[in-house]
Amino acid sequence: MRLIAASPSLWRVVEPDGRVIGHLQEIAQAGAIRFRARRYSPAAHAFRDLGDFWSADDAVECLVFAR
């Protein structure tokens, strides 16, 4: 997986074949940084939050296994 910056606190999570599987959003929370895993839902035409994590690796892993 690769992370491609989309904005200062948002990254696209991209598979080796170039397909985007979701987004990783950095969230400042209670003086710490959390990482939110987000996946686009074509049926809803919106992003769906999969969860907040203490590490970027855990958030990416959530996106990978939630496919």
Side-chain angles (χ1 to χ4, degrees), residues 28-49:
Q29 189 176 51
I33 300 295
R34 304 263 310 189
F35 298 91
R36 181 169 292 156
R38 305 183 83 209
R39 169 141 357 226
Y40 184 73
S41 171
H45 300 288
F47 280 93
R48 186 171 52 115
D49 294 342

Side-chain angles (χ1 to χ4, degrees), residues 5 8-9 11 23 25 27 30 34 40 43 45 49-50 52 59 64 66:
S9 62
W11 296 268
H23 286 94
Q25 184 177 15
I27 307 288
R34 304 263 310 189
Y40 184 73
H45 300 288
D49 294 342
L50 300 179
D52 292 351
V64 169

Side-chain angles (χ1 to χ4, degrees), residues 50-62:
L50 300 179
D52 292 351
F53 302 87
W54 289 112
S55 77
D57 289 339
D58 289 345
V60 170
E61 190 171 319
C62 175

Side-chain angles (χ1 to χ4, degrees), residues 9-31:
S9 62
L10 183 70
W11 296 268
R12 288 183 185 92
V13 181
V14 181
E15 290 188 325
D17 66 3
R19 185 175 47 187
V20 176
I21 64 165
H23 286 94
L24 180 69
Q25 184 177 15
E26 186 178 295
I27 307 288
Q29 189 176 51

